[in-house]
Every structure is written in C-alpha cells, then in structure tokens.
Amino acid sequence: MKKTSGFLVLLLLVTGNRAIGQRTSVSRRFPIYNNAGRPDLTIDPQRFVSQMTIVDRFFDPSGCEVQEGLVGASGNRRILRFDTVIMNGGDGDLVVGDRSDPRNLYAAWFVFSPCHGHYHIRDFSSYELLNRDRTSAVAGHKQAFCFEDSLKYDGGKSHGYDCDYQGITSGWGDWYYKQLGGQWIDITGVPEGDYIVRVEINTAGTFDEGANRYPNVVEILIHVPDPRHKVSNP
Ligand SMILES: [Zn+2]
C-alpha cells in the first residue's frame, strides 16, 4: 500500500513472471541477458507507480495537446499523469536511427510531435484506464516516443542515442516524465471508484525484441476520487 497525494495506490500488479511487489532494485529485476544481440524493452514499474498523480489542468483550444488528441476536449480537464521509463534489458541496443536517412527501416513510423518539438515513433505505446472487469473506462491514447538514453540501469557506457539519432543502449532507459505532454490519461468525468491503469509498449510490434523475456505491459490498481472534489498536487 502506498499513499500518494490525492489518491491511493492499492496494489501493484505487474504482468510477467516476477513476484509481485518485490523490493529489489530495478536493475536487479531487469538484468541484461543474452537476447541474441536484440533489445528487450520493458517499463520501469517503480517509477510508473511512484510518480503517478492526478491534476486538474486547463487546455487551450489552440494548444498542441488538443491538436495531438492527448485530451478529450479543450478546457478544464482532470488528468492522471505518470512517468514512463522504457528500459532496455536485452544485450543489443535498440537502434532506430535518423528519420532523414532514406534507408531507415522505420522511416514510415516517424511522425512530428508539435507538443514535444521532435519526431516520434508513432503508436509505440498505449495508455488506458480499465474497469475492474477489464472493460475499457477511458480509451486513452497512443503515445509516441523519441528514443534516447536518459538513465543508466546496467551495463556500460551510453552509445549516445538522442532524438536525432534515436535508440536505447543495452542497459539504459529512456525517461518520459509526467510533466511532458501526453504523459497522462484524461480522466475527466470518470466516476469515483477503483480502476486499472494500463500501459503497453511496442503495441504495434514495430521492434523485434527477440525472446522478449521482460513484460511489455504494466498495470496498477488505483482509486479515482469523486470528480466533484478538488485534487491538490504539487
Ligand atoms: Zn517526445
């Protein structure tokens, strides 16, 4: 049980083959393994949970968030926001490369994000809110990503991937923090109750993850407060 401002995180349910709620460091949970030189992408479950908050925000009708479909409408919206750190636990780098290279395998997947001001790989992840019976409560949106080395978990030096030449070095993570546009689910008008927050990555199967030992899905159970009550967050 973990109390955070505004709501209660009831339970951490990480799909995969590990014990639930294990209190080991993230790097020990996702050590680099022999994946035949391929990446294996997974979500840091600790940071996903620890940074989750509910905030009310105003979205201008001409803003990039509305243009990109990251909120259901303009005006005052209540959003559940969180950090997504994509970790690479495979023994090969994720190499996405430069979008301007005509030979780039992923050329068709790049899309410009007005909110972030750089190119993303489209449809990389999905952010959804489910009811307890696993039916959809909020369809959420597909969040696109630019891949770069933000945090080291394991292994050696960064190979220097950034939003121009994209990728994630083996043993490194790409951090999309909760203040970034789209790092949320728009929960405006969702009735009070318990819900499952679900994030899935590599949803379109864009990248070959080899044995894919580490999960591509993280889910937690949360309590959404009464929409008529104010939420207070930093
Ligand atoms: Zn971005």
Side-chain angles (χ1 to χ4, degrees), residues 59-97:
F59 292 93
D60 191 273
S62 62
C64 66
E65 297 89 353
V66 175
Q67 286 173 40
E68 282 197 61
L70 304 177
V71 283
S74 59
N76 289 310
R77 311 297 295 177
R78 179 161 290 186
I79 56 174
L80 171 76
R81 60 184 194 175
F82 45 84
D83 282 11
T84 305
V85 178
I86 312 293
M87 300 163 60
N88 178 9
D91 65 342
D93 292 0
L94 172 74
V95 184
V96 181

Side-chain angles (χ1 to χ4, degrees), residues 129-137 194-196 219 221:
L129 192 72
L130 305 178
N131 296 303
R132 295 292 301 274
D133 66 2
R134 305 195 62 77
T135 56
S136 178
D194 294 338
Y195 296 89
I196 300 162
E219 296 185 347
L221 195 59

Side-chain angles (χ1 to χ4, degrees), residues 113 115-120 143-148 163 174 176 180-181:
S113 163
C115 282
H116 289 194
H118 52 229
Y119 280 85
H120 281 158
Q143 179 64 26
F145 272 78
C146 108
F147 298 95
E148 59 184 353
C163 282
D174 180 10
Y176 264 43
L180 280 172

Side-chain angles (χ1 to χ4, degrees), residues 27-38:
S27 60
R28 274 196 285 145
R29 290 169 66 177
F30 304 102
I32 294 169
Y33 70 95
N34 181 349
N35 193 26
R38 292 187 176 85

Side-chain angles (χ1 to χ4, degrees), residues 1-55:
M1 302 283 275
K2 182 176 176 57
K3 189 104 174 140
T4 60
S5 50
F7 71 104
L8 185 66
V9 175
L10 298 170
L11 180 64
L12 174 63
L13 302 159
V14 183
T15 60
N17 54 4
R18 298 178 319 282
I20 288 169
Q22 202 182 339
R23 303 300 301 169
T24 54
S25 79
V26 166
S27 60
R28 274 196 285 145
R29 290 169 66 177
F30 304 102
I32 294 169
Y33 70 95
N34 181 349
N35 193 26
R38 292 187 176 85
D40 185 354
L41 307 177
T42 196
I43 303 152
D44 178 341
Q46 288 175 4
R47 200 175 289 261
F48 176 67
V49 171
S50 67
Q51 296 302 311
M52 195 170 282
T53 48
I54 293 172
V55 293

